[in-house]
Amino acid sequence: MPEFTTIGLIVRRNSDSAVYSLKRLIRFLQDQGKAFVLEQETADHLPDKSLQKGASCTASLEDLGSYCDLVIVVGGDGSMLSGARALVNSGVPLLGVNRGRLGFLTDITPDDIEQKVAEVLAGQYVAEQRFLLDTEVRRRGQLISAGDALNDVVLHPGELIRMLEFELYVDDHFVTSQRSDGMIVSTPTGSTAYALSGGGPILHPRLDAIGLVPMNPHTLSSRPMVVPGDSHIKILVGEYNNASPQVTCDGQLHFRIHPGDEVVIRKKPKQLTLIHPLNHNFYERCRSKLGWGGHLLD
């Protein structure tokens, strides 16, 4: 196991509870003799500026990976998603402390910060690879916009509640034309997020697969599909749509598109490393987060 010597810290802004957990985390790292680097916007928004004094430096979110060998995110899944997109190319692993709501990606509870982070620093952890999706919007062959997504890429009508018409292709094979509210293209990581609420299947994080989940299709025969992870997915937006559709990556990056545009989605070559405590269990996480039943004899 590699030794983590310099720790990057990202905290969910406008959250008193997250800042409190950050204080505990900084105190613990200092006691352990570990250097830490504060993400720049985290440092700028800290109400207690004394927290910056022990930091080696501050760095932008995009540059944080060049200073650190581990980044800890204190916040919710949204904070982890933005951190993952910014840091995936650096190869630095991410560890999450949950100060959000659901917390599928942030493993450590606030009460366990010192114990669990100590275990990770001692090499007692599980490293897991997750892939992201590369997304491009092309208009008459020209690249208009691009982004990454750890959870999902969603085609939707935008501000107006109107059905979209589009064609779906996988590996240049025509699959179907559809009238619906849009399409969710999901990684296994994102299968427990928006895709799940749209009726999509839960995919184990180790699967090399992509979920295609239609949103309120105008036909009962349209169902979610799972395709190989190396698939080349293309969505051709119909020429006669009256809506102003958008493509959204992880619910955080938004691109307005025009009728006739192509949305091209494929697996990103560079993968993200997530760090989990040794007691991490995907099925237990599903039970606790999604309210599944426990043992019948308990």
Side-chain angles (χ1 to χ4, degrees):
M1 294 285 187
E3 182 181 1
F4 300 131
T5 58
T6 304
I7 317 300
L9 300 177
I10 303 171
V11 68
R12 177 185 176 187
R13 294 185 293 278
N14 303 319
S15 169
D16 292 340
S17 60
V19 172
Y20 170 73
S21 293
L22 178 67
K23 290 180 180 179
R24 286 178 52 184
L25 184 55
I26 288 175
R27 188 182 311 117
F28 172 76
L29 292 175
Q30 290 173 327
D31 291 343
Q32 297 294 309
K34 298 293 183 180
F36 67 91
V37 177
L38 285 172
E39 184 261 336
Q40 186 63 61
E41 289 196 21
T42 295
D44 291 343
H45 290 84
L46 283 176
D48 184 357
K49 298 302 180 182
S50 66
L51 294 176
Q52 299 183 30
K53 292 182 179 179
S56 301
C57 63
T58 60
S60 68
L61 181 57
E62 292 72 20
D63 292 337
L64 196 60
S66 62
Y67 293 90
C68 308
D69 39 38
L70 172 69
V71 170
I72 301 178
V73 179
V74 182
D77 285 349
S79 302
M80 285 288 283
L81 291 172
S82 58
R85 291 196 308 274
L87 295 169
V88 60
N89 288 326
S90 71
V92 65
L94 268 64
L95 172 68
V97 175
N98 185 27
R99 272 302 186 175
R101 287 173 292 181
L102 195 57
F104 252 101
L105 296 174
T106 47
D107 292 319
I108 298 176
T109 62
D111 291 339
D112 293 335
I113 287 177
E114 291 84 358
Q115 177 188 345
K116 294 302 181 183
V117 173
E119 292 174 1
V120 169
L121 296 180
Q124 301 173 27
Y125 61 85
V126 176
E128 188 175 52
Q129 302 298 309
R130 303 285 182 99
F131 71 82
L132 283 73
L133 297 173
D134 267 334
T135 306
E136 296 180 347
V137 178
R138 295 188 171 273
R139 185 171 302 151
R140 295 184 290 276
Q142 299 296 313
L143 179 64
I144 301 301
S145 52
D148 298 335
L150 176 60
N151 264 358
D152 47 45
V153 179
V154 181
L155 170 70
H156 60 96
E159 298 174 359
L160 300 177
I161 304 176
R162 291 183 178 175
M163 280 199 165
L164 298 176
E165 292 186 351
F166 57 89
E167 294 181 348
L168 174 66
Y169 296 80
V170 176
D171 294 331
D172 293 324
H173 298 293
F174 174 68
V175 178
T176 184
S177 60
Q178 190 173 103
R179 295 185 73 243
S180 69
D181 288 346
M183 175 71 70
I184 305 169
V185 181
S186 169
T187 66
T189 300
S191 68
T192 52
Y194 193 25
L196 181 62
S197 67
I202 293 177
L203 304 178
H204 192 282
R206 289 202 301 268
L207 284 176
D208 185 15
I210 297 173
L212 306 175
V213 183
M215 299 166 60
N216 301 320
H218 201 237
T219 171
L220 295 178
S221 62
S222 185
R223 291 290 183 266
M225 293 178 57
V226 178
V227 298
D230 60 357
S231 298
H232 180 279
I233 299 163
K234 181 175 73 175
I235 301 173
L236 177 60
V237 182
E239 292 278 0
Y240 302 105
N241 282 297
N242 293 320
S244 299
Q246 294 184 19
V247 169
T248 300
C249 297
D250 286 341
Q252 296 176 338
L253 302 177
H254 308 276
F255 311 121
R256 190 171 297 278
I257 60 176
H258 293 173
D261 286 354
E262 293 181 350
V263 183
V264 179
I265 303 165
R266 58 174 67 88
K267 181 168 66 173
K268 191 176 183 67
K270 189 77 172 181
Q271 291 195 330
L272 175 75
T273 301
L274 290 183
I275 298 295
H276 303 292
L278 287 180
N279 65 347
H280 175 77
N281 181 306
F282 174 71
Y283 304 108
E284 187 281 329
R285 205 152 195 80
C286 288
R287 285 196 304 274
S288 63
K289 301 298 182 181
L290 301 178
W292 292 358
H295 291 290
L296 294 178
L297 299 181
D298 285 352

